Amino acid sequence: MFDNTTDRRVLVSVSGLKMYFPIFGGILSRHVGDVKAVDDVSFDIYEGETLGVVGESGCGKSTCGRAVLRLYDLTAGTVMVDGTDISTMGQGALRKIRPVMQMVFQDPQACLNPRMSLADIIGEPLVEHTRLSKAERRDRVYDLMDAVGLNRDFANRYPHEFSGGQRQRIGIARALALNPKFIVCDEPIAALDVSIQAQVVNLLEDLQKEFGLTYLFISHDLSMVRHIADRVAVMYLGKIVELAPREGLYRDPKHPYTQALLSAVPEPDPVTHDTANRTVLKGDVPSPSNPPTGCNFCTRCPRVMEICRQQDPEFREVEPGRFVACHLFNESETAG
Ligand SMILES: Nc1ncnc2c1ncn2[C@@H]1O[C@H](COP(=O)(O)OP(=O)(O)OP(=O)(O)O)[C@@H](O)[C@H]1O
Ligand SMILES: [Mg+2]
């Protein structure tokens, strides 16, 4: 745990990031609009920490994670990873920096080639990015298998012979192959049985300690994020509405959307669960291709004010380490 974040080294710094997907229409297939999947987000990730990203389906979590890894050409904004600005890097330069940043996916099945043995899957990045000999590669693959808890005897087997949890371990071993510093985990346990989710989460935590890894951990499971994240960013309709250290966020959520999201989480202790504070949001999430004027949350916010329908609230630090984008926290505005 930490509160005083100021003396920590920033490994990933994201500023004004936008990722729009163009929509083409009409007989001339003209550019008629954009899906604003990620719309001006800024955050830092400190070395060795886990930044959780939560929010409802479609709010832009995966797009944000993929954009940070430059799996897309960015619409706008800056992404710095380990001191290097990667926002506009070409494919050649990106290829060189890829080993530093990796991704663990929700569905390991989809990214494991069924015709490759486990050793080949885990060793593939080594073939592409290193000049290790065959024997050195095999040793490295064994080390990686040890690290993620896969029996070395499985090296020549194929993905279909493994359970979901084991397949996720293969995906993690592959992601670790090139000694990354930063890993985006996109719902890494969502596709797994509840009984093995904790094992994979524990593994990710152990590996983080062992290798000093920094995680961006995407999940819609608020309890899981509470467990694993040091700080949490809450997304709504392409924007980060709140970012705070874990304890503060869960104890005292500031943004009305965070409050609503947390009030929907089943409380483990029914005695302290104050049902009177339960906020149920009305209406649907607006389309990211046509977000409302003003605050993106104004159409559903239980505490909406006049200004919210006119002006997009600034994402600002309202207490040390606590960032909120909400007019309720802008005194000069609400006073007048
Ligand atoms: N390649 C794409 N082209 C067009 N639209 C896209 C593309 N990828 C994502 N989107 C849209 O961007 C928005 C954000 O999607 P994204 O997958 O990032 O959300 P998410 O928060 O990860 O959701 P989930 O929890 O369901 O995984 C959605 O409206 C989605 O339809
Ligand atoms: Mg997603």
Side-chain angles (χ1 to χ4, degrees), residues 242-299:
E242 180 160 5
L243 193 160
R246 161 187 55 185
E247 285 313 322
L249 187 99
Y250 284 83
R251 185 178 6 95
D252 169 32
K254 295 197 183 295
H255 196 284
Y257 178 65
T258 315
Q259 291 169 358
L261 206 59
L262 288 179
S263 79
V265 177
E267 182 69 42
D269 180 358
V271 180
T272 59
H273 187 30
D274 186 355
T275 44
N277 281 338
R278 210 177 160 122
T279 325
V280 178
L281 290 179
K282 294 192 190 78
D284 294 326
V285 183
S287 161
S289 60
N290 188 22
T293 308
C295 174
N296 270 3
F297 191 49
C298 72
T299 54

Tab-separated table of all heavy atoms in Angstrom, residues 242-299:
chain	number	residue	atom	x	y	z
A	242	GLU	N	-13.088	8.906	-12.814
A	242	GLU	CA	-12.453	8.978	-11.503
A	242	GLU	C	-11.227	8.081	-11.477
A	242	GLU	O	-11.239	6.991	-12.051
A	242	GLU	CB	-13.452	8.548	-10.407
A	242	GLU	CG	-12.868	8.594	-9.001
A	242	GLU	CD	-13.930	8.641	-7.899
A	242	GLU	OE1	-15.131	8.541	-8.212
A	242	GLU	OE2	-13.537	8.775	-6.726
A	243	LEU	N	-10.181	8.539	-10.793
A	243	LEU	CA	-8.982	7.724	-10.610
A	243	LEU	C	-8.486	7.960	-9.195
A	243	LEU	O	-8.320	9.104	-8.776
A	243	LEU	CB	-7.919	8.131	-11.636
A	243	LEU	CG	-6.720	7.197	-11.809
A	243	LEU	CD1	-6.048	7.459	-13.148
A	243	LEU	CD2	-5.693	7.310	-10.711
A	244	ALA	N	-8.301	6.875	-8.454
A	244	ALA	CA	-7.958	7.033	-7.042
A	244	ALA	C	-7.239	5.805	-6.527
A	244	ALA	O	-7.359	4.721	-7.089
A	244	ALA	CB	-9.233	7.243	-6.231
A	245	PRO	N	-6.497	5.957	-5.415
A	245	PRO	CA	-5.959	4.780	-4.743
A	245	PRO	C	-7.127	3.874	-4.347
A	245	PRO	O	-8.210	4.365	-4.018
A	245	PRO	CB	-5.267	5.340	-3.505
A	245	PRO	CG	-4.970	6.764	-3.839
A	245	PRO	CD	-6.078	7.206	-4.735
A	246	ARG	N	-6.882	2.585	-4.406
A	246	ARG	CA	-7.935	1.599	-4.188
A	246	ARG	C	-8.775	1.852	-2.939
A	246	ARG	O	-10.002	1.938	-3.008
A	246	ARG	CB	-7.282	0.221	-4.117
A	246	ARG	CG	-8.137	-0.821	-3.458
A	246	ARG	CD	-7.382	-2.103	-3.259
A	246	ARG	NE	-6.139	-1.935	-2.508
A	246	ARG	CZ	-5.282	-2.918	-2.296
A	246	ARG	NH1	-5.515	-4.108	-2.801
A	246	ARG	NH2	-4.178	-2.718	-1.616
A	247	GLU	N	-8.121	1.982	-1.796
A	247	GLU	CA	-8.884	2.093	-0.546
A	247	GLU	C	-9.815	3.296	-0.559
A	247	GLU	O	-10.972	3.199	-0.177
A	247	GLU	CB	-7.934	2.162	0.659
A	247	GLU	CG	-7.307	0.818	1.020
A	247	GLU	CD	-8.321	-0.317	1.082
A	247	GLU	OE1	-9.461	-0.090	1.550
A	247	GLU	OE2	-7.993	-1.442	0.653
A	248	GLY	N	-9.279	4.425	-0.997
A	248	GLY	CA	-10.074	5.648	-1.046
A	248	GLY	C	-11.268	5.504	-1.972
A	248	GLY	O	-12.380	5.913	-1.653
A	249	LEU	N	-11.035	4.885	-3.106
A	249	LEU	CA	-12.115	4.760	-4.087
A	249	LEU	C	-13.261	3.913	-3.550
A	249	LEU	O	-14.426	4.272	-3.675
A	249	LEU	CB	-11.592	4.134	-5.377
A	249	LEU	CG	-12.650	4.142	-6.488
A	249	LEU	CD1	-12.428	5.308	-7.434
A	249	LEU	CD2	-12.671	2.840	-7.256
A	250	TYR	N	-12.927	2.794	-2.934
A	250	TYR	CA	-13.992	1.898	-2.466
A	250	TYR	C	-14.643	2.424	-1.181
A	250	TYR	O	-15.807	2.185	-0.928
A	250	TYR	CB	-13.452	0.474	-2.269
A	250	TYR	CG	-13.251	-0.256	-3.581
A	250	TYR	CD1	-12.087	-0.073	-4.330
A	250	TYR	CD2	-14.232	-1.099	-4.100
A	250	TYR	CE1	-11.898	-0.721	-5.535
A	250	TYR	CE2	-14.056	-1.758	-5.302
A	250	TYR	CZ	-12.889	-1.566	-6.024
A	250	TYR	OH	-12.715	-2.194	-7.225
A	251	ARG	N	-13.871	3.139	-0.359
A	251	ARG	CA	-14.423	3.664	0.891
A	251	ARG	C	-15.261	4.908	0.632
A	251	ARG	O	-16.328	5.083	1.197
A	251	ARG	CB	-13.261	3.997	1.854
A	251	ARG	CG	-13.708	4.441	3.220
A	251	ARG	CD	-12.545	4.730	4.181
A	251	ARG	NE	-11.209	4.662	3.610
A	251	ARG	CZ	-10.537	5.709	3.154
A	251	ARG	NH1	-11.059	6.907	3.183
A	251	ARG	NH2	-9.318	5.555	2.672
A	252	ASP	N	-14.768	5.743	-0.268
A	252	ASP	CA	-15.387	7.051	-0.443
A	252	ASP	C	-15.379	7.428	-1.924
A	252	ASP	O	-14.628	8.294	-2.362
A	252	ASP	CB	-14.573	8.069	0.402
A	252	ASP	CG	-14.955	9.502	0.109
A	252	ASP	OD1	-16.129	9.754	-0.215
A	252	ASP	OD2	-14.062	10.373	0.204
A	253	PRO	N	-16.216	6.742	-2.718
A	253	PRO	CA	-16.257	7.070	-4.147
A	253	PRO	C	-16.808	8.478	-4.331
A	253	PRO	O	-17.769	8.855	-3.665
A	253	PRO	CB	-17.206	6.013	-4.721
A	253	PRO	CG	-18.034	5.549	-3.571
A	253	PRO	CD	-17.183	5.695	-2.346
A	254	LYS	N	-16.191	9.258	-5.205
A	254	LYS	CA	-16.602	10.657	-5.333
A	254	LYS	C	-17.529	10.888	-6.522
A	254	LYS	O	-18.504	11.612	-6.419
A	254	LYS	CB	-15.358	11.545	-5.432
A	254	LYS	CG	-14.538	11.503	-4.142
A	254	LYS	CD	-13.565	12.646	-4.058
A	254	LYS	CE	-12.697	12.565	-2.810
A	254	LYS	NZ	-13.465	12.719	-1.571
A	255	HIS	N	-17.209	10.294	-7.644
A	255	HIS	CA	-18.024	10.549	-8.830
A	255	HIS	C	-19.358	9.799	-8.728
A	255	HIS	O	-19.380	8.633	-8.323
A	255	HIS	CB	-17.263	10.084	-10.076
A	255	HIS	CG	-17.836	10.636	-11.350
A	255	HIS	ND1	-19.000	10.153	-11.904
A	255	HIS	CD2	-17.410	11.632	-12.167
A	255	HIS	CE1	-19.262	10.840	-13.020
A	255	HIS	NE2	-18.309	11.736	-13.194
A	256	PRO	N	-20.474	10.447	-9.083
A	256	PRO	CA	-21.773	9.773	-8.995
A	256	PRO	C	-21.801	8.442	-9.760
A	256	PRO	O	-22.483	7.504	-9.343
A	256	PRO	CB	-22.749	10.776	-9.613
A	256	PRO	CG	-22.100	12.108	-9.422
A	256	PRO	CD	-20.613	11.861	-9.497
A	257	TYR	N	-21.044	8.354	-10.848
A	257	TYR	CA	-21.017	7.087	-11.572
A	257	TYR	C	-20.298	6.003	-10.768
A	257	TYR	O	-20.764	4.860	-10.691
A	257	TYR	CB	-20.358	7.251	-12.953
A	257	TYR	CG	-20.276	5.929	-13.683
A	257	TYR	CD1	-21.434	5.258	-14.086
A	257	TYR	CD2	-19.050	5.314	-13.925
A	257	TYR	CE1	-21.377	4.032	-14.719
A	257	TYR	CE2	-18.980	4.079	-14.557
A	257	TYR	CZ	-20.148	3.449	-14.955
A	257	TYR	OH	-20.084	2.217	-15.571
A	258	THR	N	-19.176	6.352	-10.151
A	258	THR	CA	-18.460	5.381	-9.316
A	258	THR	C	-19.366	4.929	-8.177
A	258	THR	O	-19.414	3.747	-7.834
A	258	THR	CB	-17.178	6.003	-8.733
A	258	THR	OG1	-16.492	6.719	-9.754
A	258	THR	CG2	-16.263	4.943	-8.165
A	259	GLN	N	-20.082	5.877	-7.585
A	259	GLN	CA	-20.992	5.539	-6.486
A	259	GLN	C	-22.042	4.536	-6.947
A	259	GLN	O	-22.328	3.554	-6.259
A	259	GLN	CB	-21.661	6.813	-5.950
A	259	GLN	CG	-20.664	7.722	-5.237
A	259	GLN	CD	-21.247	9.104	-4.929
A	259	GLN	OE1	-22.386	9.413	-5.267
A	259	GLN	NE2	-20.447	9.941	-4.286
A	260	ALA	N	-22.591	4.776	-8.125
A	260	ALA	CA	-23.621	3.869	-8.639
A	260	ALA	C	-23.037	2.491	-8.928
A	260	ALA	O	-23.614	1.459	-8.578
A	260	ALA	CB	-24.238	4.461	-9.905
A	261	LEU	N	-21.856	2.494	-9.532
A	261	LEU	CA	-21.195	1.236	-9.889
A	261	LEU	C	-20.913	0.411	-8.626
A	261	LEU	O	-21.182	-0.787	-8.568
A	261	LEU	CB	-19.884	1.571	-10.592
A	261	LEU	CG	-19.277	0.587	-11.570
A	261	LEU	CD1	-20.230	0.282	-12.706
A	261	LEU	CD2	-17.978	1.163	-12.146
A	262	LEU	N	-20.383	1.073	-7.593
A	262	LEU	CA	-20.038	0.360	-6.363
A	262	LEU	C	-21.282	-0.071	-5.595
A	262	LEU	O	-21.278	-1.114	-4.941
A	262	LEU	CB	-19.155	1.225	-5.470
A	262	LEU	CG	-17.725	1.418	-5.949
A	262	LEU	CD1	-16.968	2.314	-4.983
A	262	LEU	CD2	-16.999	0.087	-6.084
A	263	SER	N	-22.336	0.703	-5.665
A	263	SER	CA	-23.528	0.343	-4.901
A	263	SER	C	-24.191	-0.898	-5.501
A	263	SER	O	-25.009	-1.541	-4.855
A	263	SER	CB	-24.514	1.503	-4.850
A	263	SER	OG	-25.246	1.592	-6.048
A	264	ALA	N	-23.823	-1.240	-6.726
A	264	ALA	CA	-24.397	-2.424	-7.360
A	264	ALA	C	-23.624	-3.687	-7.019
A	264	ALA	O	-24.047	-4.788	-7.338
A	264	ALA	CB	-24.425	-2.235	-8.877
A	265	VAL	N	-22.457	-3.533	-6.348
A	265	VAL	CA	-21.653	-4.708	-5.997
A	265	VAL	C	-22.228	-5.363	-4.752
A	265	VAL	O	-22.479	-4.684	-3.763
A	265	VAL	CB	-20.183	-4.304	-5.710
A	265	VAL	CG1	-19.362	-5.506	-5.275
A	265	VAL	CG2	-19.570	-3.670	-6.936
A	266	PRO	N	-22.442	-6.674	-4.777
A	266	PRO	CA	-22.961	-7.339	-3.584
A	266	PRO	C	-22.011	-7.140	-2.405
A	266	PRO	O	-20.811	-7.312	-2.538
A	266	PRO	CB	-23.007	-8.817	-3.982
A	266	PRO	CG	-22.801	-8.876	-5.436
A	266	PRO	CD	-22.144	-7.599	-5.860
A	267	GLU	N	-22.567	-6.740	-1.292
A	267	GLU	CA	-21.759	-6.477	-0.100
A	267	GLU	C	-21.571	-7.778	0.676
A	267	GLU	O	-22.540	-8.458	1.002
A	267	GLU	CB	-22.487	-5.447	0.768
A	267	GLU	CG	-21.784	-5.014	2.012
A	267	GLU	CD	-20.544	-4.185	1.725
A	267	GLU	OE1	-20.600	-3.315	0.826
A	267	GLU	OE2	-19.540	-4.424	2.405
A	268	PRO	N	-20.311	-8.154	0.987
A	268	PRO	CA	-20.106	-9.420	1.691
A	268	PRO	C	-20.701	-9.422	3.097
A	268	PRO	O	-21.126	-10.452	3.589
A	268	PRO	CB	-18.588	-9.574	1.743
A	268	PRO	CG	-18.012	-8.267	1.339
A	268	PRO	CD	-19.059	-7.501	0.615
A	269	ASP	N	-20.742	-8.264	3.737
A	269	ASP	CA	-21.292	-8.201	5.086
A	269	ASP	C	-22.674	-7.545	5.055
A	269	ASP	O	-22.796	-6.333	4.897
A	269	ASP	CB	-20.352	-7.385	5.977
A	269	ASP	CG	-20.873	-7.286	7.404
A	269	ASP	OD1	-21.968	-7.821	7.671
A	269	ASP	OD2	-20.187	-6.684	8.232
A	270	PRO	N	-23.727	-8.350	5.192
A	270	PRO	CA	-25.077	-7.796	5.041
A	270	PRO	C	-25.443	-6.792	6.143
A	270	PRO	O	-26.329	-5.976	5.967
A	270	PRO	CB	-25.991	-9.029	5.097
A	270	PRO	CG	-25.173	-10.115	5.702
A	270	PRO	CD	-23.742	-9.786	5.492
A	271	VAL	N	-24.747	-6.854	7.283
A	271	VAL	CA	-25.079	-5.950	8.390
A	271	VAL	C	-24.709	-4.505	8.055
A	271	VAL	O	-25.465	-3.569	8.284
A	271	VAL	CB	-24.358	-6.394	9.690
A	271	VAL	CG1	-24.711	-5.449	10.832
A	271	VAL	CG2	-24.752	-7.818	10.028
A	272	THR	N	-23.522	-4.344	7.463
A	272	THR	CA	-23.074	-2.986	7.166
A	272	THR	C	-23.632	-2.483	5.830
A	272	THR	O	-23.453	-1.324	5.484
A	272	THR	CB	-21.538	-2.926	7.084
A	272	THR	OG1	-21.118	-3.822	6.064
A	272	THR	CG2	-20.906	-3.300	8.406
A	273	HIS	N	-24.265	-3.355	5.105
A	273	HIS	CA	-24.733	-2.959	3.786
A	273	HIS	C	-25.930	-2.020	3.901
A	273	HIS	O	-27.007	-2.396	4.340
A	273	HIS	CB	-25.114	-4.204	2.987
A	273	HIS	CG	-25.449	-3.884	1.564
A	273	HIS	ND1	-24.889	-2.842	0.885
A	273	HIS	CD2	-26.308	-4.486	0.693
A	273	HIS	CE1	-25.377	-2.805	-0.345
A	273	HIS	NE2	-26.234	-3.784	-0.481
A	274	ASP	N	-25.697	-0.804	3.511
A	274	ASP	CA	-26.720	0.212	3.659
A	274	ASP	C	-27.521	0.297	2.357
A	274	ASP	O	-27.133	0.968	1.412
A	274	ASP	CB	-26.029	1.549	3.967
A	274	ASP	CG	-27.039	2.627	4.282
A	274	ASP	OD1	-28.250	2.357	4.174
A	274	ASP	OD2	-26.609	3.736	4.644
A	275	THR	N	-28.657	-0.371	2.329
A	275	THR	CA	-29.421	-0.420	1.080
A	275	THR	C	-29.996	0.945	0.712
A	275	THR	O	-30.323	1.191	-0.440
A	275	THR	CB	-30.575	-1.442	1.187
A	275	THR	OG1	-31.201	-1.269	2.443
A	275	THR	CG2	-30.072	-2.854	1.023
A	276	ALA	N	-30.108	1.837	1.696
A	276	ALA	CA	-30.658	3.157	1.406
A	276	ALA	C	-29.753	3.932	0.440
A	276	ALA	O	-30.214	4.797	-0.300
A	276	ALA	CB	-30.829	3.949	2.692
A	277	ASN	N	-28.460	3.588	0.460
A	277	ASN	CA	-27.531	4.299	-0.404
A	277	ASN	C	-27.390	3.679	-1.786
A	277	ASN	O	-26.532	4.063	-2.554
A	277	ASN	CB	-26.145	4.348	0.251
A	277	ASN	CG	-26.094	5.423	1.311
A	277	ASN	OD1	-26.901	6.349	1.264
A	277	ASN	ND2	-25.193	5.278	2.258
A	278	ARG	N	-28.211	2.745	-2.076
A	278	ARG	CA	-28.091	2.061	-3.344
A	278	ARG	C	-28.598	2.956	-4.476
A	278	ARG	O	-29.704	3.476	-4.419
A	278	ARG	CB	-28.916	0.790	-3.280
A	278	ARG	CG	-28.329	-0.241	-4.152
A	278	ARG	CD	-29.090	-1.529	-4.039
A	278	ARG	NE	-28.748	-2.258	-5.233
A	278	ARG	CZ	-28.206	-3.451	-5.205
A	278	ARG	NH1	-27.998	-4.043	-4.071
A	278	ARG	NH2	-27.890	-4.034	-6.327
A	279	THR	N	-27.751	3.137	-5.483
A	279	THR	CA	-28.151	3.955	-6.619
A	279	THR	C	-28.389	3.043	-7.804
A	279	THR	O	-27.497	2.290	-8.179
A	279	THR	CB	-27.020	4.929	-7.016
A	279	THR	OG1	-26.347	5.341	-5.832
A	279	THR	CG2	-27.540	6.100	-7.766
A	280	VAL	N	-29.552	3.099	-8.361
A	280	VAL	CA	-29.789	2.329	-9.567
A	280	VAL	C	-29.860	3.314	-10.728
A	280	VAL	O	-30.656	4.256	-10.711
A	280	VAL	CB	-31.091	1.513	-9.458
A	280	VAL	CG1	-31.348	0.758	-10.752
A	280	VAL	CG2	-31.006	0.553	-8.285
A	281	LEU	N	-28.989	3.107	-11.690
A	281	LEU	CA	-28.940	4.039	-12.809
A	281	LEU	C	-30.086	3.781	-13.767
A	281	LEU	O	-30.392	2.636	-14.090
A	281	LEU	CB	-27.617	3.896	-13.555
A	281	LEU	CG	-26.389	4.392	-12.818
A	281	LEU	CD1	-25.154	4.158	-13.668
A	281	LEU	CD2	-26.539	5.871	-12.484
A	282	LYS	N	-30.682	4.867	-14.224
A	282	LYS	CA	-31.767	4.728	-15.200
A	282	LYS	C	-31.213	4.923	-16.601
A	282	LYS	O	-30.217	5.612	-16.789
A	282	LYS	CB	-32.844	5.774	-14.922
A	282	LYS	CG	-33.539	5.553	-13.594
A	282	LYS	CD	-34.781	6.433	-13.499
A	282	LYS	CE	-35.352	6.424	-12.095
A	282	LYS	NZ	-34.586	7.292	-11.180
A	283	GLY	N	-31.884	4.344	-17.558
A	283	GLY	CA	-31.538	4.584	-18.951
A	283	GLY	C	-30.316	3.807	-19.399
A	283	GLY	O	-29.665	3.120	-18.619
A	284	ASP	N	-30.032	3.932	-20.693
A	284	ASP	CA	-28.913	3.193	-21.280
A	284	ASP	C	-27.708	4.103	-21.441
A	284	ASP	O	-27.823	5.324	-21.447
A	284	ASP	CB	-29.315	2.664	-22.656
A	284	ASP	CG	-30.417	1.623	-22.537
A	284	ASP	OD1	-30.410	0.886	-21.535
A	284	ASP	OD2	-31.280	1.574	-23.435
A	285	VAL	N	-26.559	3.457	-21.613
A	285	VAL	CA	-25.353	4.211	-21.934
A	285	VAL	C	-25.541	4.789	-23.338
A	285	VAL	O	-25.894	4.052	-24.252
A	285	VAL	CB	-24.119	3.282	-21.911
A	285	VAL	CG1	-22.856	4.077	-22.166
A	285	VAL	CG2	-24.025	2.529	-20.601
A	286	PRO	N	-25.321	6.097	-23.527
A	286	PRO	CA	-25.446	6.659	-24.876
A	286	PRO	C	-24.430	6.028	-25.830
A	286	PRO	O	-23.454	5.421	-25.393
A	286	PRO	CB	-25.152	8.148	-24.668
A	286	PRO	CG	-25.294	8.399	-23.215
A	286	PRO	CD	-24.954	7.107	-22.529
A	287	SER	N	-24.657	6.196	-27.117
A	287	SER	CA	-23.729	5.637	-28.096
A	287	SER	C	-22.424	6.424	-28.114
A	287	SER	O	-22.435	7.654	-28.086
A	287	SER	CB	-24.363	5.696	-29.487
A	287	SER	OG	-23.346	5.580	-30.453
A	288	PRO	N	-21.292	5.709	-28.156
A	288	PRO	CA	-20.015	6.428	-28.220
A	288	PRO	C	-19.823	7.173	-29.538
A	288	PRO	O	-18.877	7.949	-29.683
A	288	PRO	CB	-18.966	5.320	-28.043
A	288	PRO	CG	-19.665	4.044	-28.338
A	288	PRO	CD	-21.131	4.251	-28.086
A	289	SER	N	-20.718	6.947	-30.513
A	289	SER	CA	-20.593	7.725	-31.749
A	289	SER	C	-21.401	9.021	-31.652
A	289	SER	O	-21.297	9.890	-32.503
A	289	SER	CB	-21.071	6.894	-32.947
A	289	SER	OG	-22.412	6.535	-32.759
A	290	ASN	N	-22.209	9.118	-30.596
A	290	ASN	CA	-23.007	10.329	-30.425
A	290	ASN	C	-23.147	10.653	-28.939
A	290	ASN	O	-24.248	10.631	-28.386
A	290	ASN	CB	-24.384	10.110	-31.079
A	290	ASN	CG	-25.203	11.373	-31.105
A	290	ASN	OD1	-24.657	12.474	-31.021
A	290	ASN	ND2	-26.512	11.232	-31.173
A	291	PRO	N	-22.034	10.953	-28.275
A	291	PRO	CA	-22.104	11.222	-26.834
A	291	PRO	C	-22.842	12.535	-26.577
A	291	PRO	O	-22.896	13.400	-27.438
A	291	PRO	CB	-20.627	11.321	-26.424
A	291	PRO	CG	-19.897	11.664	-27.669
A	291	PRO	CD	-20.674	11.096	-28.807
A	292	PRO	N	-23.428	12.680	-25.371
A	292	PRO	CA	-24.185	13.901	-25.077
A	292	PRO	C	-23.284	15.132	-25.007
A	292	PRO	O	-22.082	15.022	-24.821
A	292	PRO	CB	-24.801	13.604	-23.704
A	292	PRO	CG	-24.053	12.455	-23.145
A	292	PRO	CD	-23.440	11.717	-24.270
A	293	THR	N	-23.904	16.291	-25.162
A	293	THR	CA	-23.184	17.546	-24.951
A	293	THR	C	-22.931	17.699	-23.457
A	293	THR	O	-23.749	17.264	-22.653
A	293	THR	CB	-24.038	18.732	-25.450
A	293	THR	OG1	-24.431	18.448	-26.785
A	293	THR	CG2	-23.257	20.041	-25.409
A	294	GLY	N	-21.809	18.303	-23.101
A	294	GLY	CA	-21.484	18.473	-21.689
A	294	GLY	C	-20.845	17.221	-21.139
A	294	GLY	O	-20.066	16.554	-21.821
A	295	CYS	N	-21.195	16.888	-19.918
A	295	CYS	CA	-20.635	15.688	-19.297
A	295	CYS	C	-21.230	14.439	-19.928
A	295	CYS	O	-22.438	14.362	-20.144
A	295	CYS	CB	-20.939	15.712	-17.788
A	295	CYS	SG	-20.451	14.195	-16.951
A	296	ASN	N	-20.403	13.452	-20.203
A	296	ASN	CA	-20.898	12.226	-20.829
A	296	ASN	C	-21.926	11.497	-19.953
A	296	ASN	O	-22.717	10.717	-20.447
A	296	ASN	CB	-19.727	11.276	-21.119
A	296	ASN	CG	-19.146	11.507	-22.500
A	296	ASN	OD1	-19.579	12.405	-23.216
A	296	ASN	ND2	-18.157	10.714	-22.868
A	297	PHE	N	-21.878	11.746	-18.659
A	297	PHE	CA	-22.758	11.022	-17.730
A	297	PHE	C	-24.048	11.799	-17.445
A	297	PHE	O	-24.915	11.310	-16.721
A	297	PHE	CB	-21.986	10.748	-16.426
A	297	PHE	CG	-22.665	9.801	-15.480
A	297	PHE	CD1	-23.170	8.574	-15.904
A	297	PHE	CD2	-22.807	10.133	-14.133
A	297	PHE	CE1	-23.797	7.697	-15.019
A	297	PHE	CE2	-23.427	9.256	-13.239
A	297	PHE	CZ	-23.928	8.042	-13.687
A	298	CYS	N	-24.213	12.987	-18.035
A	298	CYS	CA	-25.323	13.862	-17.627
A	298	CYS	C	-26.699	13.252	-17.896
A	298	CYS	O	-27.655	13.557	-17.194
A	298	CYS	CB	-25.205	15.244	-18.263
A	298	CYS	SG	-25.558	15.283	-20.031
A	299	THR	N	-26.785	12.353	-18.886
A	299	THR	CA	-28.107	11.795	-19.202
A	299	THR	C	-28.570	10.784	-18.157
A	299	THR	O	-29.739	10.431	-18.119
A	299	THR	CB	-28.095	11.087	-20.579
A	299	THR	OG1	-27.026	10.123	-20.584
A	299	THR	CG2	-27.871	12.086	-21.697
